[in-house]
Amino acid sequence: MDFAPSEEQRAIFDLAREFGAEHIAPHARTWEAEGTIPRTLWPELGALGFGGLYVRESSGGSGLSRLDATLVFEALSMACPSVAAFLSIHNMCAKMIDAFGSEEMRARVLPEALPMQTVLSYCLTEPGSGSDAAALKTRAVRGAEGWALTGTKAFISGGGYSDAYVVMARSGAAGPKGISAFLVEDGRPGLSFGGLEDKMGWRAQPTRQVQFDNCAIPATNLLGEEGHGFRYAMSGLDGGRLNIAASSLGAAQAALDATLSYMGERQAFGQSLDRFQALQFRLADMEIELQAARIFLRQAAWKLDRGAPDATRFCAMAKAFVTETGSKVADACLQLHGGYGYLADYGIEKIVRDLRVHQILEGTNEIMRLIVARQLLEARG
Ligand SMILES: Cc1cc2nc3c(=O)[nH]c(=O)nc-3n(C[C@H](O)[C@H](O)[C@H](O)COP(=O)(O)OP(=O)(O)OC[C@H]3O[C@@H](n4cnc5c(N)ncnc54)[C@H](O)[C@@H]3O)c2cc1C
């Protein structure tokens, strides 16, 4: 058993952290106010190999492990969790295309998606189905020329912004086995978008409904095999959950780092805040919680990389634990800043707002508990 990151892993973390500090953090508030991330940022991240983190090297990706990838998301989210999380979604789609797409689709999509000349979004949720994703209703009908999609996807990160969408739609009977996955490029006739959602956090990345009205796509845009779309959609989620957890961890660590500095400067009752033992104990508690979260997250990533039979359960446990710990720590940091924590200038309130959604998406934390409990009960026999 070895808990030390390798030299290469340390270099990956430092590269992402330095990039975030220089190219993301100084602009994060502006992008949040503008409600969009400049498209020019993505090719810069692509140039670092972050557009296809775990896409195979033979397909032009970086071929990193899931554990390595969590280091990228942890480091980038120290600058802005909203940007880091958007990168995670793009990576999830790129991996699906690499793992399940035909050679023709890989050759068509990946050369631009990996350097992030193009960005990809993931369309599973619908207005009537979120946690119960397999109940989705968007229809895919096969015609002479290809497929026609009709339906609405809700809450799509990058809706109306991305260059292409990986869309799960019903091509067959009810249930997960009637679902196929498709690639829908921006500009296809019948593709349109709802208005910009006004959100609590993740405000830098645009979220919209994605609507399909008899949207025609060629037969070659079917991703992998018909009827396997739900399996493909779920296959990315274990890793996606780790990325979201890593994003909570990095942002909460940034909040703790800022709080440590602040408490050395802020005076009350004739001394700096860090002299009060009651507050020192809060700092210690946050450190304990974040270190525990980090180890748990890395263990889950390690299990996923090794294909351990309990990897899904560990990813679910880590997602719930780390996202809840991250939010708890960020909220405690806000409290330790007093009124200043509530002001945007100090950067803490944005972290609190951005992290909240991590308990809701990539499967809500209730669904994570469902996964854990189900497996516990099954194992009991
Ligand atoms: C900012 C944002 C960005 C998003 N981006 C994307 C995206 O890019 N692509 C995409 O496809 N989706 C995206 N989503 C959707 C997200 O994945 C869903 O919101 C999430 O899966 C929950 O679904 P729901 O909102 O329909 O809630 P529901 O499923 O209606 O759940 C409501 C509540 O009931 C609980 N619940 C439901 N079923 C059970 C159960 N069996 N047992 C116990 N509790 C249960 C839930 O945990 C939750 O607390 C995004 C959402 C947000 C807010």
Side-chain angles (χ1 to χ4, degrees):
M1 202 176 290
D2 184 358
F3 290 102
S6 67
E7 213 167 286
E8 195 194 345
Q9 287 170 329
R10 247 191 293 266
I12 291 169
F13 184 87
D14 290 345
L15 176 69
R17 186 170 180 178
E18 280 158 26
F19 181 90
E22 194 175 332
H23 300 282
I24 299 175
H27 313 291
R29 268 184 75 192
T30 310
W31 297 346
E32 174 172 63
E34 290 170 353
T36 193
I37 302 165
R39 291 294 304 251
T40 49
L41 178 74
W42 302 118
E44 291 182 53
L45 284 161
L48 302 179
F50 292 175
L53 285 165
Y54 24 79
V55 168
R56 289 169 295 177
E57 284 178 287
S58 56
S59 302
S62 296
L64 295 182
S65 69
R66 290 297 181 154
L67 178 52
D68 296 339
T70 62
L71 300 175
V72 171
F73 293 106
E74 182 183 342
L76 285 178
S77 66
M78 298 182 91
C80 178
S82 170
V83 171
F86 191 82
L87 183 72
S88 167
I89 295 167
H90 169 88
N91 269 278
M92 183 157 67
C93 295
K95 175 67 187 173
M96 283 171 77
I97 291 168
D98 181 38
F100 308 115
S102 63
E103 206 175 324
E104 181 278 326
M105 185 186 276
R106 286 202 300 272
R108 180 159 44 104
V109 178
L110 295 182
E112 290 194 329
L114 299 182
M116 299 197 77
Q117 300 298 336
T118 56
V119 289
L120 308 172
S121 281
Y122 175 91
C123 299
L124 179 65
T125 307
E126 300 188 354
S129 59
S131 301
D132 185 12
L136 64 84
K137 289 199 160 62
T138 295
R139 287 283 334 166
V141 178
R142 196 208 300 258
E145 304 281 302
W147 295 86
L149 270 53
T150 300
T152 300
K153 295 291 176 180
F155 291 112
I156 302 308
S157 302
Y161 170 90
S162 290
D163 299 286
Y165 301 86
V166 173
V167 182
M168 273 48 76
R170 188 162 303 286
S171 56
K177 292 196 173 137
I179 296 171
S180 300
F182 301 88
L183 184 78
V184 181
E185 300 92 342
D186 187 35
R188 289 272 174 205
L191 173 67
S192 64
F193 306 98
L196 190 65
E197 302 290 1
D198 190 2
K199 312 191 292 294
M200 174 183 180
W202 275 27
R203 292 182 69 87
Q205 44 164 294
T207 307
R208 292 187 180 85
Q209 284 196 346
V210 176
Q211 296 147 350
F212 307 93
D213 181 9
N214 211 13
C215 175
I217 51 169
T220 48
N221 279 24
L222 171 70
L223 176 57
E225 287 178 62
E226 192 180 341
H228 288 247
F230 195 70
R231 182 170 67 80
Y232 301 160
M234 293 299 113
S235 76
L237 279 183
D238 280 342
R241 285 168 187 158
L242 296 176
N243 297 348
I244 284 297
S247 299
S248 281
L249 179 63
Q253 184 66 58
L256 177 55
D257 295 346
T259 304
L260 270 171
S261 304
Y262 181 78
M263 286 175 65
E265 293 155 15
R266 178 71 178 170
Q267 300 280 319
F269 300 95
Q271 58 183 357
S272 56
L273 293 180
D274 62 7
R275 308 300 301 165
F276 293 101
Q277 196 183 47
L279 303 189
Q280 288 175 1
F281 276 24
R282 290 222 211 153
L283 288 174
D285 283 341
M286 290 193 282
E287 173 67 2
I288 292 165
E289 284 163 2
L290 286 186
Q291 291 296 358
R294 185 170 285 113
I295 293 292
F296 198 21
L297 173 64
R298 292 190 181 158
Q299 186 198 21
W302 175 82
K303 280 183 181 277
L304 189 59
D305 283 330
R306 269 150 194 77
D310 54 1
T312 293
R313 177 161 62 92
F314 271 78
C315 289
M317 290 195 289
K319 194 267 183 181
F321 182 76
V322 181
T323 57
E324 287 165 20
T325 301
S327 283
K328 190 175 151 201
V329 166
D331 190 60
C333 289
L334 192 153
Q335 186 69 18
L336 288 170
H337 275 74
Y340 296 97
Y342 205 67
L343 303 184
D345 276 349
Y346 286 75
I348 306 291
E349 60 84 40
K350 176 178 179 295
I351 294 176
V352 172
R353 288 186 291 103
D354 280 345
L355 295 197
R356 184 60 184 85
V357 78
H358 296 186
Q359 297 179 48
I360 297 172
L361 40 69
E362 303 278 346
T364 67
N365 284 5
E366 287 77 17
I367 296 301
M368 297 306 102
R369 288 177 167 86
L370 204 75
I371 292 168
V372 176
R374 209 178 264 158
Q375 293 199 4
L376 277 178
L377 297 174
E378 269 170 23
R380 189 186 60 177

